[in-house]
Amino acid sequence: MGSTGGDAMNRTASRATRRGAPGRRVAVAYAILAAAIAVIAVIGTALQPSYGSLPPEGGVSVLDLRSAPTPTGWSLDLGAVFAPGVPGSCLSFQSGALSPTLELVSATVPITSSTQENALCSPGTSEVEGRLAAIDPRTGHPQWLRSLGGDLNTTVSSLVWHRSAASGDIVVGVNGSRGAFLVDLDGRTGRLIDSAQVDSPDAAINFAVEGNLVLSAEPDAGGALEVYELRDARHLSKKIWSKQLTSSAQPQLLPDRLIVPLSPGTVSVDGRTGRETPWASDLTGIEGARVVDGGILGVTIPQGVGLGSFVELLDADGKSVWQVPALAVSSLESSRSCITMTSVTSKLTCIAPKTGDERWSVDFTGLTDGTPEGSTTDDIATIGPVKTGDTTLRIVTLDGATGATRATAVIPRGSDVVAESIATGFALDASTARGRSSLTAFDLSSGRTLWSISAGTIQHWGARFVEIDATGVAYELVDGRADPSHDMLGG
């Protein structure tokens, strides 16, 4: 019996050991549950979309239209603004950003082959092409209207404008019945600050603005030489500096000076006095030169057998900030986090803008794209290879810190990525058939197409998109899921 009792006790102890104590069973269960939650959390985090948190590019927080928008926001009759009494269908409208809260709009009268339509549109449109209107894209309300034809006592045939980021002014080149002019307007109020007649129509078309400086170029009759003239935007009648250069010369305009390649040497022209002084580098030895953050970026190609080329950044005085050995550079672009360099060796390299250090390099075939307005990341957008007959483009987004692919979106060929909100990219094709535009939206984290619409003329105004219909009425496009009765005007 002793033996029987002992066996019973052993079996009981064995079952207790297998089952474990009640407290231990609870602890093990909690451990398993915690591990399961951790796994789910990791998977959930990996599946969560990743969007940017940087300040929006250009200072514009673009509205996040996640469903196909409809023209149910504010509306504005542009025909009535530019040519009261003239059918809006007679006019074509162009726009550009003055600031995050002002869009500058101009109008033209396209020539048609229809005698009846020309007869309908001609009366009352003689002053249309000299008018500029600044419109608040948040409300659709015109803030000011300027008639340059009236100001200059001329019938305007064309105008070109550039904005000064330093002052907020607009410099407008005007060609008309009384000659060519440069005009400086206050971008906030439309007030005319100064104007001057220039020698040729080219000077009112071929000009650039940096800071308060205006540089114009007038080719001679043969096209081999060009006359360059430097002015202060607020004193346009006074030429600060003027010189005839070969057409191959490429002067670089900085906010306070002009860098001019001569033969031999390069000079810096003081933006206040026009005085020339020697520049520390030779601009004639730099290919693809462009202004980047107050300096000049380009590819330096030394003269001599066996000498390699460099991507080089020069400061405003012409002193080298950094240089990077480079082989067969095919493009240079500036983005938030990188100066991107592509080469014929099928590489895309990210160079740190301040130091010239190589951050990363990846295999690459295609084109780099600029940073869209509203972007909140330091990602780099690229366009994949395009073949004859392709009807779409692949937009591949690379992580600005590592070069790793973050997302791939497919958009219609002919489209440009013109804006980004925090979560959505917008690709606009304004050149589709029958005078219509297409707008496509895609998710910035996954690249998935969200929606695509075809409408009249679609334009990007500040934080919004606007459709201009065939009658010249502009409508704000708002999220299709939104209640049209709610206030879309304030943001």
Side-chain angles (χ1 to χ4, degrees):
M1 290 191 52
S3 173
T4 303
D7 290 342
M9 290 178 62
N10 290 336
R11 287 195 298 272
T12 301
S14 177
R15 287 196 299 270
T17 300
R18 289 195 299 269
R19 291 196 304 264
R24 183 182 175 190
R25 290 200 304 273
V26 172
V28 170
Y30 273 120
I32 293 172
L33 179 61
I37 292 173
V39 170
I40 293 171
V42 169
I43 295 174
T45 301
L47 295 177
Q48 283 292 319
S50 174
Y51 302 117
S53 58
L54 298 176
E57 181 73 13
V60 178
S61 295
V62 176
L63 293 184
D64 204 29
L65 303 175
R66 299 293 285 181
S67 63
T70 57
T72 51
W74 54 255
S75 64
L76 174 65
D77 187 344
L78 292 174
V81 171
F82 283 90
V86 175
S89 58
C90 295
L91 307 178
S92 177
F93 301 96
Q94 300 79 41
S95 69
L98 280 182
S99 71
T101 57
L102 278 181
E103 192 77 9
L104 190 65
V105 181
S106 60
T108 57
V109 185
I111 298 175
T112 71
S113 57
S114 167
T115 304
Q116 181 179 0
E117 190 171 349
N118 283 332
L120 177 67
C121 295
S122 294
T125 59
S126 60
E127 296 184 12
V128 166
E129 301 201 14
R131 288 178 175 158
L132 290 170
I135 299 170
D136 187 336
R138 299 169 299 180
T139 64
H141 295 158
Q143 300 302 297
W144 56 259
L145 178 66
R146 191 89 215 174
S147 176
L148 294 175
D151 293 328
L152 302 173
N153 191 27
T154 188
T155 300
V156 176
S157 57
S158 70
L159 60 81
V160 176
W161 64 271
H162 296 288
R163 174 180 173 270
S164 166
S167 64
D169 288 1
I170 314 159
V171 181
V172 189
V174 179
N175 278 301
S177 57
R178 288 186 55 247
F181 299 83
L182 288 174
V183 180
D184 186 45
L185 302 178
D186 186 316
R188 291 170 288 273
T189 66
R191 178 177 63 89
L192 193 151
I193 298 171
D194 195 22
S195 66
Q197 192 159 11
V198 292
D199 295 334
S200 79
D202 291 297
I205 298 173
N206 303 322
F207 68 95
V209 178
E210 280 289 341
N212 288 323
L213 296 180
V214 182
L215 179 68
S216 59
E218 306 170 29
D220 68 357
L225 299 173
E226 295 195 38
V227 175
Y228 286 90
E229 296 176 344
L230 187 66
R231 293 176 167 87
D232 186 307
R234 299 205 162 194
H235 305 282
L236 290 167
S237 57
K238 178 185 176 182
K239 296 179 186 177
I240 298 173
W241 172 90
S242 180
K243 189 178 286 285
Q244 190 176 63
L245 303 172
T246 63
S247 58
S248 61
Q250 297 292 324
Q252 299 296 315
L253 184 61
L254 300 177
D256 63 346
R257 70 194 76 184
L258 177 68
I259 311 303
V260 183
L262 300 175
S263 182
T266 297
V267 297
S268 174
V269 179
D270 189 292
R272 294 168 299 172
T273 66
R275 180 172 173 262
E276 295 182 4
T277 56
W279 203 53
S281 294
D282 185 4
L283 201 56
T284 61
I286 299 176
E287 291 190 356
R290 82 283 310 275
V291 175
V292 174
D293 295 332
I296 294 178
L297 176 71
V299 180
T300 301
I301 303 179
Q303 300 298 317
V305 178
L307 297 177
S309 60
F310 295 86
V311 171
E312 186 166 24
L313 179 67
L314 305 170
D315 67 14
D317 296 320
K319 297 176 182 177
S320 180
V321 178
W322 51 257
Q323 59 177 214
V324 178
L327 177 65
V329 176
S330 55
S331 74
L332 284 174
E333 298 288 344
S334 179
S335 71
R336 257 184 167 156
S337 58
C338 297
I339 290 172
T340 56
M341 173 179 70
T342 61
S343 68
V344 296
T345 57
S346 300
K347 288 287 186 181
L348 172 62
T349 302
C350 168
I351 301 171
K354 294 188 181 300
T355 65
D357 294 334
E358 181 181 308
R359 286 183 170 167
W360 48 260
S361 185
V362 295
D363 293 333
F364 176 77
T365 303
L367 300 171
T368 55
D369 208 358
T371 302
E373 189 170 65
S375 172
T376 59
T377 74
D378 63 359
D379 293 345
I380 296 168
T382 68
I383 302 172
V386 182
K387 300 177 182 177
T388 303
D390 284 353
T391 59
T392 59
L393 298 176
R394 288 191 312 116
I395 305 299
V396 181
T397 303
L398 306 181
D399 188 307
T402 65
T405 298
R406 282 175 42 82
T408 299
V410 178
I411 63 175
R413 186 170 183 175
S415 298
D416 292 313
V417 179
V418 296
E420 290 181 358
S421 62
I422 290 177
T424 310
F426 300 96
L428 177 62
D429 183 356
S431 60
T432 55
R434 299 183 301 280
R436 295 177 68 79
S437 304
S438 71
L439 183 63
T440 301
F442 56 91
D443 184 82
L444 292 176
S445 180
S446 66
R448 176 176 59 91
T449 299
L450 300 175
W451 51 261
S452 185
I453 63 169
S454 176
T457 298
I458 300 177
Q459 296 180 354
H460 174 222
W461 290 14
R464 290 157 169 75
F465 285 92
V466 171
E467 176 190 350
I468 303 174
D469 70 9
T471 67
V473 177
Y475 296 92
E476 179 194 13
L477 294 173
V478 300
D479 195 310
R481 295 172 302 185
D483 178 1
S485 66
H486 90 302
D487 178 19
M488 287 295 297
L489 305 183

